Amino acid sequence: MTLLGAAPGAAAEQEQNRGGAQSRLLVPKSFRTGSGSERVDAAAPAGTDAVGPDHSAPGPGPSAPRPPQRVVRAAAGLVTRLAARLGEAPLTLVLLVGLWAVGAATGSLTRGPSDALLEQVGIGRPTLHAGRWWTPLTSLFWCSGIGAYVFTSLLLLLVGPAAERRLGRLRTLGVLVAGQLAGVMAGTVAVAVGARLGEQWTLSIAGQTAVGPGVGLFALAGVLGYRLTVLWRRRLHLLVLLMPLVMALYVGHLQSVQRFSGALVGLAAGALLFRRRPHLRSHRSSHTETRVLVALCLVAAALGPMIASLYDNAAGPFNTFSEIYLSHRLTPDEVADFCSVSAHDCARAHAVQRIFDTPARLMATLFPALLLVLAEGLRRGLRFAWRITVATELLWTAMLVVLFAETSTGSSDVVQYFVEALLLPMVTVGLLLATRKRFTLRLPRAVLGRLLAVVGGALAVASAAYTGLGVLTAGQFEPGATFRGLVHGLPAQFLPPAYNDLLPDYPIAVGPFARALETYCGLGFWAVALAALLLTFRRPVVQVAAEDAARARALLTEHGGGTLSFLTTWDGNHYWFDEEGRAAVAYRVLNTVALTTGDPFGDPAARDSAVAGFARYCDARGWTPCFYSVTPQTRAAAGELGWRSLQVAEDTVVALPDLAFTGRKWQDIRTALNKAGKQGITAEWWSYHEAPLALKEQIRAISEEWVSEKGLPEMGFTLGGLEELDDPAVRLLIAIDGDRAVHGLTSWMPVYENGEPVGWTLDFMRRSSDGFRGVTEFLIASAALGFKQEGARFLSLSGAPLARSEKEPPTGLQKTLDWLGRVLEPVYGFRSLLAFKAKFQPEYRPMYMAYPDPAALPSITRAIGKAYLPHLTPTQGVRLMRKLSS
């Protein structure tokens, strides 16, 4: 299904008609700016001379505290907040104190319970076979060592207070105990079944016993996630699964298996307890959140081998060949085995050992470090990072296949080890392939070229240093180094120590200078390469024509444009400029259709001629031009070229100079303002980039919850999202209560004239499912009062797509669009959106689509649909058609 009309904030604004739960009554009743410098009573009668929010630059204010004072204050604040949190969570405090008291009383804090005590309180197949039925419960009160005590305490502090607040103390205690009992029993039974079937890993841990309340805490976290917002529920559930799963697959102890079983028990129990909550039925995530979740999975895959290396007796199935990811120091027995083969093999083994006594030991963590850097690129949605990650995982798979081919003896145990080791890279590649459409951002060619130049230059310098200087000091190698022999040894300098067995013979460094080359050449290259990758991924992704984007923004700021012209600054647009550089057109090419983003902008005298100029530009390239969401002025200029047009939306503009919320027609607006004042809801101005992290996270959570309820992909093109908020020129108005909880938000884009904003256009709008009813009206009214105080001339509530006031008689095609608007009403609520905007008594201004050839309408329609729904899958298309036909 394609859309011929849409405008900023349209998909979001329809949500305002939903009723939310009533907010708590709070004390403050002020309308504040982000800095809190100016306030005005939000419930003041309409028409009074209320002072609006202060948008001027902040004054110097008090001097900032010195850095040491900041650290002390931050630490004191953290301790105060932690104490306050524990004061509100007595059950957590009792459990924490009790855990450490029992550990201290039994001498279990440092090395865990003694063997005699463990036989009485630990849970495992041996204790259950001995008839100690109480061990599933007693295992709750001890930990296996000081590290386990610290980890369990941190987990309890993170989960406990939140669970007491959202689940209640009795339910929290019940879930903790029941989750512990069910989790340890399920994990123990799973290991016993695996051992009986002859699975090697479970056979090796079948005789273990375990203690620790971590099993119940993971179950509690799984249940708690169902009481959080969509964003945090998804993240918490992913972490609840990943943490114990990674520990089970790499460390492989019985305790890890029990924790994973506890997590599964908690997720299942939470689904049953809260199955009637409506928003739990949908699990769709936004593009940004999907990237975050995939990056978290890659981080878990990278950290697994590193965590397992901390355990001397790690026995997990994925740990069998973990040295391919994380190299380990050879044991004395392994060195002796190499030395028994030949003197050269002995020298190579000792050379590998020496690596771990130099800074080159960092090379052992090369693959985990590379995956962590790539995870940052995936989080940013970069296609380049996606490709490197897939290549890395396929390389690991190839290495495992080569090892299997060289060492396979036909034994079923060896085959099982290799199959288990291959699961992780194969699952990771499958996940990346399944989500490949979410990683579409491309690095500009100039940035990619610089990255390749830096990495290639570092490789060339390191290779030249090793071979060139190695030839000059040939006597410090054993046997004597030749240029050809040093070239054979190059791969060993750039690969982790574990890969030496796969490489051909090469000269071994024995002298001090040769050892320095062996230590620092590869390490220096990877330090430069990983730093260059990380800096490239961390930098904002700009448009391919960055200079054109900057030029277009300067032109827009100087001369201005229409109410939607600020959309031309968004990523994804290309720019055409007239010969004199006085006017520009923002466009994107889809299916040979050059679809513009609003009107031409720039010098008003050059805008009409820009229509014909852009048409010639497209004609020379075989594109079909289409001016989309344009004003009557552009429609008229296109009409002079013989083009057709039709109305696709209706802009709604509110004049500000004489605005006063008086009279019966403003009753709903006054009600929203008064209700906000009574409930302590205030409006604060922020820039998204400068907003505190707590506010940003709430904004993301609210947006994620809104997206997840749709079951359809996010819309783009003229509909802004979180990425479009992060612009210094965009202003954010947030409805917030006395506990700093966000109830709703709106974003406003400037409309320039002579370098200054003279009006503002509504774009992004979201409301919390728990926000008070009328938060949307409150925010728009508050924004109007603030902009009026600043001297702005108008406020645009943006267009209502496929809806119009029917002032003009419809043509045949216009009747088709009117019918389409009626059909799509149950899904997108276009007409209810227009009705909502009528509360603000706006002036209706039609917005048109102008096109040169009626025969091109099918391709234009497909292009518009592709622009708005670039990631629509066949399944989502079927779901949309079902909603339309229901």
Side-chain angles (χ1 to χ4, degrees), residues 547-615:
E547 294 181 358
D548 286 350
R551 181 184 174 191
R553 182 180 280 256
L555 194 64
L556 175 66
T557 304
E558 180 182 359
H559 296 287
T563 57
L564 302 185
S565 291
F566 193 82
L567 276 63
T568 61
T569 65
W570 291 357
D571 285 341
N573 289 319
H574 296 272
Y575 300 95
W576 171 87
F577 299 91
D578 65 6
E579 295 180 356
E580 299 178 354
R582 298 166 56 203
V585 173
Y587 69 96
R588 59 189 69 197
V589 180
L590 300 153
N591 300 329
T592 71
V593 175
L595 193 64
T596 75
T597 305
D599 299 284
F601 58 93
D603 188 344
R607 293 177 192 173
D608 288 350
S609 60
V611 175
F614 180 71

Side-chain angles (χ1 to χ4, degrees), residues 151-167:
F151 172 78
T152 302
S153 299
L154 292 176
L155 186 60
L156 180 59
L157 289 174
L158 288 173
V159 176
E164 288 189 57
R165 185 171 61 254
R166 295 180 179 271
L167 301 178

Side-chain angles (χ1 to χ4, degrees), residues 11 43 73 117 145 173 192 249 327 410 432 446 451 573 821 824 871:
R73 291 184 181 180
L117 180 60
L173 182 60
L249 294 177
S327 301
L432 291 170
L451 173 63
N573 289 319
L824 291 175
H871 304 290

